[in-house]
């Protein structure tokens, strides 16, 4: 959703993060392929057109194993958590908790980077 994307992008920028936001996961993957080392962490939605957040995570993890990836979903199940781990996702958060948890989660993930 373009509106949600814009809101989260601006919110993260106000938190001090440099953000590249994409509404199309295929465009995001192409940008990542062009410069995988310029990305410190990825935040993606689970349910997107054309490609799921899990498929995006798998493709990015294949290019750069171990990169932190956060998956947001409105419906989080144990099955989704299991599949997310298998796709290389570091953390799964409930979409409605994004503003409450994402800032601290990103901070923690970025501190863990080698």
């Amino acid at each position: 959703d373009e509106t949600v994307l814009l809101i989260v992008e601006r919110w993260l920028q106000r938190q001090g993060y440099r953000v590249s936001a994409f509404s199309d996961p295929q465009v995001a993957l192409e940008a990542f392929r062009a410069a995988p080392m310029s990305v410190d962490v990825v935040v993606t939605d689970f349910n997107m057109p054309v490609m799921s957040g899990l498929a995006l995570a798998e493709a990015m993890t294949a290019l750069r194993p171990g990169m932190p990836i956060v998956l947001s979903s409105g419906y989080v199940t144990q099955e989704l958590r299991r599949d997310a781990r298998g796709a290389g996702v570091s953390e799964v958060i409930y979409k409605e908790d994004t503003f409450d948890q994402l800032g601290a989660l990103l901070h923690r993930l970025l501190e863990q980077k080698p």
Side-chain angles (χ1 to χ4, degrees):
D1 181 282
E2 291 284 337
T3 303
V4 174
L5 180 69
L6 183 61
I7 291 169
V8 173
E9 176 185 22
R10 289 191 176 160
W11 180 78
L12 287 171
Q13 288 171 338
R14 284 194 305 271
Q15 301 298 312
Y17 294 102
R18 187 185 60 193
V19 180
S20 298
F22 302 91
S23 60
D24 182 327
Q26 291 179 321
V27 174
L29 182 56
E30 288 306 313
F32 183 77
R33 279 189 180 124
M37 298 310 292
S38 69
V39 177
D40 293 322
V41 64
V42 171
V43 178
T44 185
D45 195 358
F46 170 69
N47 189 18
M48 299 183 292
V50 183
M51 176 186 294
S52 75
L54 290 179
L56 180 63
E58 286 175 343
M60 289 180 163
T61 298
L63 293 167
R64 187 165 155 212
M67 185 189 58
I69 300 174
V70 177
L71 181 77
S72 173
S73 177
Y75 186 67
V76 177
T77 64
Q78 286 304 106
E79 180 182 7
L80 176 59
R81 289 185 189 281
R82 183 193 67 232
D83 292 348
R85 278 190 303 275
V89 171
S90 309
E91 298 284 342
V92 176
I93 62 172
Y94 285 100
K95 193 174 293 189
E96 56 268 13
D97 294 335
T98 298
F99 291 104
D100 292 336
Q101 296 180 0
L102 188 57
L105 178 57
L106 292 178
H107 182 75
R108 182 172 52 83
L109 289 172
L110 291 169
E111 279 191 339
Q112 293 174 357
K113 278 186 60 175

